Amino acid sequence: MVCLAVLCSQTTISAQQIRLNNHNIDEVITAMTLEEKVRMVIGCGMSMGSDAKFPGTAGRTYDIPRLGIPSVYMADGPHRLAMSVRREFDSQFYYTTEFPSGTTVAATFNPDAAYLVGKTLGTEVRDYGMDVLLAPGANLMRNVLCGRNHEYYSEDPLLTGKIAAGFINGVQSEGVGTSLKHFAVNNQETNRNNNDSRVDTRPLRELYLKGFEIAVREAQPWTIMTAYNKVNGKYTSEDRGLTTDILRDEWGFKGLVISDWNAGKDAVASMEAGNDMLQPGQERQYQAILEAIQSGELEEEFLDRNVKRVLEMVVKTHSFNQYDYPNETDLKAHAAISRKVGSEGIVLLANNGILPVAKGIGQVALYGTTSYDMVPAGMGFGSTGFGRYTVSMVEGLRKASIEVDRELVKQYQKHLAEEQKRLFPNGRPPFSLTPPPRADEFLHTDDQLKAQVEANELAILTIGRTSGEAKDRHVSEFYLTDNEKALLEQVSTAYRAAGKKVVVVLNVCGPVETASWKPMADAILCAFQPGQEVGHCVTDVLTGKVNPSGKLPMTFAMQYGDAPSDNNFPFDYEFKMPDFAMGTGMNVQRAQEEMKPKKPERNVDYTNYEEGIYVGYRYFDTFSKNVSYPFGFGLSYTTFDYEVIGSSIQDDQCEVKVAITNSGKVPGKEAVQLYVNAPAGGLDKPSKELKALVKTKELKPGESEVVTLVWKLMDMASFNEKTTSWELAKGTYQWMIAASSADVRCTVSHEVKVAQTMKAHDAMNPDAKISILHYR
């Protein structure tokens, strides 16, 4: 991003008695000068300097002391409150908690877990005096290689929306605002400032906007952040159809729309479209808006409307209400919450009876460089990857009273030190948007391996992957490296020959190829990125202290190329970050523009969403494609029985009650999923779509809980591009209660006797009447 600081000095104006409060916003706007109004819709630059009130944060809004208008302070997220740990001439350390990545939170399949993370993050934002957390991200995981997938939740819009709503409600329960981002169709980082996402209206409505819609309906974030990219030829910050017609008029959004940092091109067009504030603010934007008002190109009523929305946010903030913040927070308590949610988001992919490990197990061998250098979360402005601390597997196991092979630890310590010198001859950069390279694996000699097998009862091998802003993952990162494959084969062969077991831990930002090597492992844990407590989280599941209840929020394909989006994604694009962009992350837009090909390049300057509505399991299940692990999949150390107690359609509400019984021997939770199969006769539909989900409490062996799955009748509708209406076909609908998209436990049928339709502009209006029509 290009960051140009905007001078936020105040113009001396004759004193007036009026001062901003909750009831006089219109009067305050009338009392403002034109110049002050324009300043109110332009940010004051990023707070990177040592002279900033909150160094290392995203920025602030303009203040007008004579009118009682303070600055509002914004900080990046979503995994942590991003700000500088140290401040000039200040002995205090301003640490914040590194929470699990968005993917890990989504893997809990539990909106309450998302609420807990949000509430705790909101507490830290409040305690440190900030007002708005720039999170969460609600873009769809269209492709497994998207660089920012770790910030996002799922390939499914319902799961995305429910988790996002939980997170937002949690943060805002602390009197702190959120910024739901990046609106919309921001599904790749390659050329992110210029890429045009070309998508038909139906998938746009049913998939790419639906998660945002659910979050707006259920949580009303204080702000929504538009994205860098274009959608069908228009920059999102300049698209009235998105920011006003859909977001406000259809969905009823009440808050402020802000741009991503230096997004878009035309400040005047953004003002007209309803992108109320431009961040972080540039002097050229101020001049463009001011001159457009003076010349009559931009009507002042648009400016007044946007200023009003800014002030409506201001009066809700702690800064406006002069909250006396403590400037410290309960890091110990928050670490416990990070550990709790991080553990709940771990997915057990395979288990041949080895897990949980037996109490009193002997010494354990840790393989893989990631075991000693775990990945807590993704990279970017919201997370540097260099937090207060990161718990390794060594620490996690030792604190669980499991002995770790010390000789092996020494070998890896030596190897990691050598790799650091090789990778960073001039020292590791203090900050980078994109993840720094990680240490390669090394192989052990036959003699070393023989001694290790004799000395240890169990082998644990950790595989790591990182991702970050401004760069998508290369297709090679989907597969294990040659050394990773060789190490796994070496360890698996040696330990199994001695009758011992091998556990693989995936500490990854998203899916990796597993089909070719999973027979070599006796158990596989997908930990994703569970935050700063990662070593504890994994150990809690390995030992059975936590019974795994995570489910995959995306599909693990057999290989890259199996998903229809794979052909329309820059999977092998070699983006070279120039030297002037490294270390600061501030010049990414300039770097990308200078490197942009002169002729429009497919999947770089534009990306065609040719797969339409068939994203993720919607494609794999509909067309019977084999996958390594299906959407919603996750094993437990216990088993669960399902029984439908009742189901109904009452007016516009659908409901199923299901009794879930723990039929195993240890306590556990179950994430219950409800999919709908639509009848033929309407628009083409996937074979199943997730329409409701619920997670049980922890059930003791033999204990049951009746859970209720609820959704709206028109949630089963499809968007007809020709009529711009949501249409529900008549016929018999199959409601499938499942443990994953591939594991349906019970099915009930309900008939919709007549087709129904609702115009798009009425879709979010609870008073709108549903028209009844028959398909011809």
Side-chain angles (χ1 to χ4, degrees):
M1 291 185 293
V2 181
C3 279
L4 300 178
V6 176
L7 180 62
C8 286
S9 59
Q10 275 67 58
T11 304
T12 302
I13 301 174
S14 58
Q16 298 184 31
Q17 295 299 314
I18 188 170
R19 295 182 68 80
L20 179 67
N21 61 48
N22 288 305
H23 308 292
N24 69 347
I25 291 176
D26 290 334
E27 296 174 60
V28 170
I29 295 172
T30 301
M32 295 170 68
T33 66
L34 175 59
E35 291 78 9
E36 287 173 329
K37 291 179 185 179
V38 178
R39 288 293 183 195
M40 286 304 301
V41 297
I42 302 291
C44 293
M46 294 189 71
S47 302
M48 290 297 173
S50 59
D51 59 339
K53 183 177 180 180
F54 301 108
T57 57
R60 65 183 179 93
T61 63
Y62 190 70
D63 62 308
I64 308 176
R66 72 179 185 87
L67 296 175
I69 302 173
S71 286
V72 169
Y73 295 90
M74 301 179 175
D76 219 334
H79 316 311
R80 62 186 285 263
L81 166 57
M83 66 180 187
S84 298
V85 173
R86 301 307 307 272
R87 299 177 185 176
E88 195 171 46
F89 305 114
D90 187 340
S91 62
Q92 182 174 339
F93 287 79
Y94 294 88
Y95 285 116
T96 59
T97 305
E98 187 85 70
F99 289 93
S101 68
T103 304
T104 313
V105 177
T108 68
F109 268 59
N110 187 356
D112 290 342
Y115 180 93
L116 183 59
V117 169
K119 183 176 179 62
T120 313
L121 255 170
T123 299
E124 294 197 359
V125 175
R126 182 200 66 200
D127 286 350
Y128 282 122
M130 306 294 289
D131 297 299
V132 177
L133 183 70
L134 302 176
N139 290 104
L140 213 63
M141 291 182 182
R142 172 180 177 261
N143 192 276
V144 296
L145 299 182
C146 175
R148 295 185 85 167
N149 272 352
H150 63 273
E151 293 187 30
Y152 302 147
Y153 292 127
S154 176
E155 69 184 31
D156 181 82
L158 177 81
L159 180 58
T160 293
K162 293 292 186 180
I163 297 295
F167 181 93
I168 292 165
N169 283 324
V171 173
Q172 294 185 174
S173 71
E174 296 300 315
V176 169
T178 57
S179 192
L180 181 64
K181 62 184 185 182
H182 305 88
F183 189 65
V185 203
N186 181 221
N187 302 114
Q188 72 180 57
E189 289 296 284
T190 301
N191 195 27
R192 67 180 185 176
N193 293 89
N194 299 290
N195 178 260
D196 183 11
S197 300
R198 299 178 179 177
V199 56
D200 289 339
T201 305
R202 183 182 176 193
L204 178 66
R205 290 284 192 153
E206 293 186 18
L207 299 182
Y208 298 100
L209 296 184
K210 182 60 71 173
F212 288 96
E213 178 183 347
I214 292 168
V216 168
R217 291 178 63 189
E218 298 186 4
Q220 277 294 336
W222 285 15
T223 77
I224 285 181
M225 184 190 296
T226 50
Y228 286 120
N229 56 284
K230 303 170 189 174
V231 175
N232 296 328
K234 286 185 179 180
Y235 281 106
T236 61
S237 59
E238 301 166 13
D239 189 344
R240 176 188 168 85
L242 284 175
T243 59
T244 297
D245 297 345
I246 293 175
L247 181 58
R248 295 187 185 279
D249 296 345
E250 289 189 26
W251 300 351
F253 176 62
K254 305 297 183 184
L256 179 75
V257 177
I258 65 175
S259 72
D260 203 341
W261 269 225
N262 295 296
K265 298 291 184 183
D266 189 332
V268 176
S270 294
M271 290 294 104
E272 285 185 317
N275 193 116
D276 308 304
M277 177 177 284
L278 301 174
Q279 286 287 358
Q282 302 175 28
E283 189 63 27
R284 66 176 180 84
Q285 294 171 326
Y286 169 81
Q287 292 295 336
I289 297 169
L290 182 64
E291 292 171 9
I293 294 288
Q294 292 171 336
S295 69
E297 177 189 354
L298 177 65
E299 295 180 22
E300 193 166 352
E301 66 180 80
F302 287 118
L303 181 62
D304 289 348
R305 174 200 65 187
N306 297 354
V307 170
K308 183 174 183 178
R309 291 169 180 167
V310 174
L311 295 180
E312 287 173 340
M313 177 192 68
V314 169
V315 298
K316 293 192 289 187
T317 64
H318 289 312
S319 288
F320 177 77
N321 292 290
Q322 299 181 328
Y323 172 67
D324 185 15
Y325 58 92
N327 219 19
E328 60 183 3
T329 197
D330 192 344
L331 294 171
K332 184 176 181 180
H334 299 172
I337 290 170
S338 180
R339 179 173 178 173
K340 176 182 178 180
V341 176
S343 300
E344 187 174 345
I346 291 177
V347 183
L348 179 60
L349 295 179
N351 186 19
N352 295 334
I354 183 62
L355 297 181
V357 295
K359 291 183 179 180
I361 188 172
Q363 186 170 266
V364 169
L366 281 180
Y367 294 94
T369 57
T370 303
S371 291
Y372 305 85
D373 182 23
M374 302 292 280
V375 183
M379 300 289 290
F381 278 111
S383 177
T384 64
F386 316 125
R388 182 184 174 205
Y389 62 78
T390 299
V391 178
S392 69
M393 283 295 299
V394 179
E395 180 181 357
L397 290 169
R398 284 177 174 172
K399 288 191 174 178
S401 300
I402 297 176
E403 186 64 33
V404 178
D405 187 329
R406 292 180 180 273
E407 289 302 315
L408 198 54
V409 170
K410 290 177 182 178
Q411 289 182 42
Y412 273 97
Q413 286 177 319
K414 180 176 181 293
H415 173 71
L416 285 168
E418 292 171 348
E419 284 289 275
Q420 287 292 304
K421 292 178 182 178
R422 178 181 70 83
L423 295 170
F424 309 108
N426 299 317
R428 190 181 181 99
F431 173 78
S432 175
L433 279 177
T434 58
R438 291 180 61 78
D440 197 4
E441 300 294 353
F442 71 96
L443 301 181
H444 304 266
T445 67
D446 291 342
D447 289 342
Q448 288 174 332
L449 197 59
K450 180 180 179 181
Q452 291 160 10
V453 172
E454 291 176 354
N456 296 286
E457 294 300 314
L458 176 70
I460 299 174
L461 192 158
T462 308
I463 295 169
R465 291 290 184 274
T466 58
S467 61
E469 285 193 50
K471 183 180 180 181
D472 292 309
R473 296 167 63 203
H474 191 271
V475 64
S476 61
E477 297 176 65
F478 180 73
Y479 296 94
L480 300 194
T481 66
D482 290 342
N483 277 2
E484 286 172 335
K485 290 179 189 174
L487 177 62
L488 175 57
E489 185 172 2
Q490 183 186 59
V491 170
S492 178
T493 300
Y495 277 79
R496 286 181 165 183
K500 298 179 180 180
K501 305 294 185 180
V502 178
V503 177
V504 173
V505 176
L506 299 177
N507 180 200
V508 293
C509 53
V512 294
E513 189 273 328
T514 56
S516 67
W517 57 262
K518 61 186 180 182
M520 288 188 255
D522 298 291
I524 304 173
L525 281 181
C526 182
F528 291 116
Q529 297 169 333
Q532 66 185 36
E533 305 295 318
V534 49
H536 289 319
C537 294
V538 174
T539 300
D540 287 345
V541 173
L542 289 173
T543 60
K545 180 178 180 180
V546 172
N547 187 348
S549 64
K551 302 279 188 172
L552 290 179
M554 78 294 283
T555 304
F556 273 45
M558 299 290 287
Q559 60 186 355
Y560 193 82
D562 284 355
S565 69
D566 292 348
N567 190 48
N568 289 289
F569 191 84
F571 59 86
D572 59 355
Y573 185 75
E574 293 289 349
F575 179 80
K576 302 294 185 183
M577 187 77 74
D579 292 339
F580 63 73
M582 291 301 292
T584 64
M586 308 301 286
N587 297 306
V588 175
Q589 182 173 358
R590 177 154 63 97
Q592 291 181 338
E593 288 177 349
E594 289 183 7
M595 297 171 60
K596 182 179 176 182
K598 292 182 179 180
K599 293 182 180 180
E601 184 176 349
R602 176 174 168 267
N603 296 337
V604 177
D605 295 292
Y606 65 91
T607 302
N608 296 326
Y609 287 48
E610 294 175 348
E611 67 278 3
I613 59 172
Y614 294 103
V615 174
Y617 73 89
R618 285 170 166 79
Y619 168 75
F620 291 109
D621 289 1
T622 301
F623 297 98
S624 302
K625 301 294 183 180
N626 290 332
V627 298
S628 188
Y629 295 108
F631 174 85
F633 176 81
L635 301 175
S636 171
Y637 296 149
T638 189
T639 55
F640 297 95
D641 293 336
Y642 288 53
E643 181 184 1
V644 174
I645 301 300
S647 63
S648 65
I649 299 178
Q650 294 291 333
D651 297 324
D652 67 340
Q653 181 166 293
C654 303
E655 180 179 288
V656 176
K657 292 184 180 295
V658 185
I660 306 297
T661 302
N662 183 343
S663 54
K665 297 180 180 180
V666 295
K669 300 178 182 179
E670 176 72 333
V672 184
Q673 305 155 48
L674 186 140
Y675 299 84
V676 171
N677 171 263
L683 297 171
D684 288 341
K685 298 273 281 187
S687 62
K688 62 173 73 74
E689 293 181 290
L690 185 69
K691 294 303 175 185
L693 58 92
V694 66
K695 195 159 191 177
T696 68
K697 64 180 182 179
E698 185 171 80
L699 300 174
K700 298 175 182 178
E703 185 179 7
S704 297
E705 180 182 2
V706 175
V707 297
T708 304
L709 298 121
V710 179
W711 68 103
K712 297 292 185 182
L713 182 65
M714 291 303 287
D715 289 344
M716 301 187 295
S718 300
F719 192 84
N720 189 320
E721 297 175 352
K722 295 180 179 179
T723 63
T724 64
S725 298
W726 292 93
E727 296 181 354
L728 184 72
K730 66 179 180 179
T732 301
Y733 285 78
Q734 304 291 329
W735 297 352
M736 298 174 284
I737 302 90
S740 78
S741 67
D743 184 9
V744 176
R745 301 294 183 89
C746 309
T747 301
V748 294
S749 300
H750 281 270
E751 184 179 3
V752 174
K753 294 184 178 180
V754 292
Q756 304 183 18
T757 184
M758 178 182 285
K759 293 295 290 183
H761 59 77
D762 289 332
M764 298 310 301
N765 180 0
D767 298 321
K769 295 181 179 179
I770 298 176
S771 301
I772 306 299
L773 55 86
H774 289 278
Y775 282 103
R776 296 178 180 176

